[in-house]
Amino acid sequence: MTDIVDDLKWRGLFAQSTDEDALRKALANGPVTFYCGFDPTAASLHVGHLVQVLTVRRLQQAGHRPLALVGGATGQIGDPRPTAERTLNDPATIAEWVTRLRGQIEPFLDFEGPNAATMVNNLDWTAGLSAIEFLRDIGKHFRVNKMLTKESVARRLESEQGISYTEFSYQLLQGMDFLELYRRYGCVLQQGGSDQWGNLTAGIDLIHRLEPEATVHALATPLMTKADGTKFGKSESGAVWLDASMTTPYAFYQFWLNVDDRDISRYLRILSFRSRAELEELEAVTAERPQARAAQRALAEELTTLVHGAGQCAAVIAASKALFGQGDLAELDEATLSAALSELPHATVTELPPVVDLLARTGLVASKSAARRTVKEGGAYVNNVKVASEDAVPEPGQLLHGRWLVLRRGKRNLAAVEVAAG
């Protein structure tokens, strides 16, 4: 067993625990069976969930046994948000999302060996439970005055909308999850984000009431934040999802490549599996030459490989290089090129006008006169080929996959043109 607590602390992954000394001792004497829960409130996990998924992976690599819970029951209720009531999804949709989330989590874990992971679903122990049984066996052991102190509940109570009994009862369901996993699997540790602290401790309190001899723990990781004050996991186009059909591998890679210099060292420690020495070296390189973005590239490559596979990572790196003239655009497959171009300023035409028109239409320049000036100065490119004449018109044979042109002004300013059927 490795000293996982020290590693989590160095990485910034240890926000609080119920009893650090007792937890440290339990982990050192392990293996410890622990769990982390994920609710199917969407068709995919997003990058904010990576903190928990990868922390589960770290604990397993340290010799402990993970239970990854995808909440087919709690997903039908929804943990109270601080601002508004959740929209409830129908059971069939939630069942489908449970399957999708399981498929996203499973590749990160090892399901063989002495500390093999297990996927669990809390619908297994709630589906057959009557309302009377739930209130008598579980609700009896919760105190409303304590439940009211949970931050999200307190904030909702102060709002005009208030909070429904449905969402208020979520804490009972998560507390029951810990109890059931303790009884079924000997689970003694629950891991989650610091915003879940009230739910984590609710399970501990319930176990102490019904299993007085049990010693159980909670471990909370900090919430990820961004230096500019915006929400982590959001891009200009919205949430960054793990599902490739919702956020393309190219967009996923670019999200990490564009991480603020002020955030990258912290994100590397939290999300990367590189050694401490490697991370400290990347931090030093970033401090000396931030313009090289070595740390961002390292994190983008590592996480894209983890989430989408080495092949997809190689494809998006090739696309990223080719867009800036460091590779052959014609060699990119259609799906990767389409994903890359979807992130750029874009114009759609039914026939090919002069290049100066396209430069202006895509917004790479302010006007046609500015476009002519750019061409004259040698700063305009079509598919990485310098435009020689102000009157140049692209040929249909230049279209990539019969559809696209990549325009570039100077070294860094890109735009895409798509030729649609007229």
Side-chain angles (χ1 to χ4, degrees), residues 51-73:
V51 179
Q52 301 311 323
V53 175
L54 298 182
T55 303
V56 172
R57 181 183 173 101
R58 290 186 200 285
L59 284 163
Q60 184 178 35
Q61 290 182 347
H64 305 289
R65 182 191 179 205
L67 306 172
L69 184 151
V70 181

Side-chain angles (χ1 to χ4, degrees), residues 63-83:
H64 305 289
R65 182 191 179 205
L67 306 172
L69 184 151
V70 181
T74 43
Q76 297 189 43
I77 301 300
D79 192 21
R81 294 184 299 184
T83 53

Side-chain angles (χ1 to χ4, degrees), residues 12-17 35-38 48-53 55-56 79 150-151 174 190-201 218-224:
L13 279 167
F14 195 105
Q16 64 186 127
S17 68
Y35 98 94
C36 184
F38 304 87
H49 293 110
L50 275 177
V51 179
Q52 301 311 323
V53 175
T55 303
V56 172
D79 192 21
K150 184 183 176 185
E151 183 180 356
Q174 187 166 332
Q190 182 180 181
Q191 167 213 323
S194 57
D195 60 332
Q196 289 284 308
W197 188 248
N199 292 334
L200 270 61
T201 55
L219 168 63
T221 59
L223 293 182
M224 293 277 275

Side-chain angles (χ1 to χ4, degrees), residues 87-143:
T87 300
L88 298 182
N89 297 294
D90 66 85
T93 298
I94 292 169
E96 178 189 346
W97 290 353
V98 166
T99 301
R100 292 176 63 128
L101 266 58
R102 284 178 61 119
Q104 290 181 335
I105 294 167
E106 286 171 350
F108 290 93
L109 305 178
D110 187 352
F111 290 86
E112 298 180 355
N115 64 327
T118 302
M119 298 296 300
V120 294
N121 184 343
N122 53 22
L123 194 61
D124 292 345
W125 52 83
T126 55
L129 190 64
S130 72
I132 296 298
E133 289 173 316
F134 178 67
L135 292 172
R136 283 180 59 89
D137 298 341
I138 302 300
K140 175 70 174 175
H141 302 287
F142 282 78
R143 295 295 173 263

Side-chain angles (χ1 to χ4, degrees), residues 67-300:
L67 306 172
L69 184 151
V70 181
T74 43
Q76 297 189 43
I77 301 300
D79 192 21
R81 294 184 299 184
T83 53
E85 193 85 6
R86 291 182 182 273
T87 300
L88 298 182
N89 297 294
D90 66 85
T93 298
I94 292 169
E96 178 189 346
W97 290 353
V98 166
T99 301
R100 292 176 63 128
L101 266 58
R102 284 178 61 119
Q104 290 181 335
I105 294 167
E106 286 171 350
F108 290 93
L109 305 178
D110 187 352
F111 290 86
E112 298 180 355
N115 64 327
T118 302
M119 298 296 300
V120 294
N121 184 343
N122 53 22
L123 194 61
D124 292 345
W125 52 83
T126 55
L129 190 64
S130 72
I132 296 298
E133 289 173 316
F134 178 67
L135 292 172
R136 283 180 59 89
D137 298 341
I138 302 300
K140 175 70 174 175
H141 302 287
F142 282 78
R143 295 295 173 263
V144 171
N145 56 332
K146 188 169 184 178
M147 294 172 68
L148 292 174
T149 63
K150 184 183 176 185
E151 183 180 356
S152 59
V153 172
R155 288 176 62 178
R156 286 280 293 282
L157 286 173
E158 294 170 359
S159 70
E160 289 186 11
Q161 188 182 37
I163 185 170
S164 69
Y165 179 76
T166 299
E167 289 196 0
F168 185 62
S169 66
Y170 182 93
Q171 196 173 145
L172 280 71
L173 290 171
Q174 187 166 332
M176 184 172 67
D177 287 346
F178 200 175
L179 174 66
E180 283 294 325
L181 294 175
Y182 170 79
R183 288 173 170 173
R184 293 175 181 226
Y185 298 95
C187 178
V188 295
L189 169 63
Q190 182 180 181
Q191 167 213 323
S194 57
D195 60 332
Q196 289 284 308
W197 188 248
N199 292 334
L200 270 61
T201 55
I204 288 178
D205 292 343
L206 180 61
I207 291 172
H208 284 163
R209 286 178 177 273
L210 295 174
E211 304 283 351
E213 302 302 316
T215 301
V216 289
H217 312 272
L219 168 63
T221 59
L223 293 182
M224 293 277 275
T225 57
K226 293 172 76 172
D228 63 7
T230 58
K231 188 174 182 179
F232 172 77
K234 295 280 188 179
S235 67
E236 291 183 6
S237 56
V240 180
W241 303 98
L242 304 194
D243 188 302
S245 67
M246 297 170 69
T247 297
T248 66
Y250 183 87
F252 184 88
Y253 180 89
Q254 291 295 321
F255 173 78
W256 301 109
L257 192 61
N258 293 322
V259 165
D260 193 308
D261 288 339
R262 295 170 293 175
D263 293 320
I264 188 59
S265 292
R266 184 161 46 90
Y267 290 0
L268 269 169
R269 292 189 182 204
I270 289 172
L271 298 169
S272 174
F273 284 85
R274 285 177 167 83
S275 68
R276 183 168 181 167
E278 289 176 301
L279 294 180
E280 289 175 340
E281 182 179 350
L282 278 169
E283 289 171 7
V285 169
T286 299
E288 291 171 9
R289 297 182 62 244
Q291 69 277 10
R293 304 190 77 74
Q296 284 91 338
R297 292 182 190 279
L299 186 60

Side-chain angles (χ1 to χ4, degrees), residues 309-332:
Q312 283 286 355
C313 184
V316 300
I317 291 173
S320 186
K321 289 181 177 179
L323 287 176
F324 294 99
Q326 299 170 22
D328 188 350
L329 287 165
E331 292 183 358
L332 301 179

